[in-house]
Amino acid sequence: MLCIKNFLNTFFIKYFVPLTGKAYTSSRRYASFIGTTNEQTPLTAPSGSRRSVCVSINGDIDFETPVEHAQLYAQLMYEIRHGERYWLTKGEERALMEHNLQYQRLNGLGEMLMGIIQKPRADEAGRWVDLKELSALLKAHFKGYKEDASSFQKIGSYLNRPEYKFQNKHTNGGNSYWVKLRVEYEGK
């Protein structure tokens, strides 16, 4: 899998071209790849979620109708030659990463944490919660959670990950985060 990930993330690819007399040649990679999986959460690295567009399919995939590759390629080349942007802006990358959260495989702490809180949208109410309160919520609702000396640091690191980036503030009591408690945990 590491070779595939490296291949997909490399801008220039070196490869051997048979019968040319050259040992290796280097080309810029412009390809996109499509794959399918039965896994509901195929993304494992948050940093890579800006490079993937995940969609869920409900129903059968049509393997019978031929794809007009020549027409698709011609249309794409026309658009590129006429100045169409073929890369994502920073805002589009953030939106894609937020969309892909539902396809992200989380570690145990992350799954527990995201099970009790979520990042409030601009039109939603939230409240400031400190790391001690978040740890207490985790302890109260998940038997598998054990608070230790590094718990607060791990929770804070998770909430500061690029795909979440919860709003935070530093107070005399430590860091607090602007969160929305999931309905089943409100008032507990």
Side-chain angles (χ1 to χ4, degrees):
M1 185 65 180
L2 186 57
C3 292
I4 293 173
K5 184 175 180 182
N6 184 49
F7 177 71
L8 295 175
N9 293 325
T10 302
F11 289 112
F12 288 92
I13 298 175
K14 290 183 180 181
Y15 57 93
F16 179 75
V17 181
L19 306 175
T20 62
K22 294 182 180 179
Y24 286 93
T25 188
S26 180
S27 294
R28 178 133 169 97
R29 180 185 57 79
Y30 290 103
S32 295
F33 297 87
I34 298 173
T36 61
T37 179
N38 289 332
E39 176 65 47
Q40 295 296 313
T41 53
L43 300 176
T44 57
S47 62
S49 71
R50 64 185 163 85
R51 296 183 187 99
S52 301
V53 179
C54 294
V55 294
S56 295
I57 304 296
N58 297 320
D60 295 333
I61 298 173
D62 178 6
F63 292 106
E64 302 297 321
T65 306
V67 177
E68 296 181 32
H69 290 100
Q71 176 60 38
L72 284 173
Y73 182 74
Q75 185 175 341
L76 289 172
M77 289 307 298
Y78 176 86
E79 291 177 3
I80 289 171
R81 288 182 180 137
H82 286 84
E84 289 293 327
R85 183 171 47 87
Y86 57 89
W87 61 90
L88 298 176
T89 64
K90 291 291 182 191
E92 290 168 336
E93 278 185 5
R94 279 192 299 276
L96 179 59
M97 289 175 71
E98 189 170 317
H99 163 78
N100 282 341
L101 286 176
Q102 62 190 307
Y103 301 101
Q104 180 77 44
R105 186 175 311 142
L106 304 173
N107 66 25
L109 174 62
E111 289 174 354
M112 289 185 274
L113 197 53
M114 293 300 119
I116 61 170
I117 65 167
Q118 62 190 49
K119 187 174 181 179
R121 293 189 312 259
D123 62 337
E124 290 182 315
R127 69 179 183 109
W128 291 104
V129 179
D130 64 24
L131 295 172
K132 188 174 182 177
E133 186 177 350
L134 283 171
S135 186
L137 279 168
L138 290 169
K139 196 184 319 182
H141 296 289
F142 296 101
K143 291 179 184 176
Y145 176 76
K146 303 288 186 242
E147 186 177 287
D148 61 30
S150 65
S151 294
F152 297 165
Q153 187 272 331
K154 288 177 185 175
I155 293 169
S157 292
Y158 204 86
L159 297 176
N160 287 315
R161 284 171 50 164
E163 70 271 28
Y164 300 118
K165 203 71 176 137
F166 278 80
Q167 182 182 351
N168 67 71
K169 67 179 180 180
H170 187 74
T171 64
N172 290 340
N175 288 333
S176 291
Y177 292 84
W178 185 249
V179 304
K180 178 181 176 190
L181 292 178
R182 298 203 180 267
V183 175
E184 57 269 30
Y185 299 103
E186 287 178 1
K188 291 187 179 181

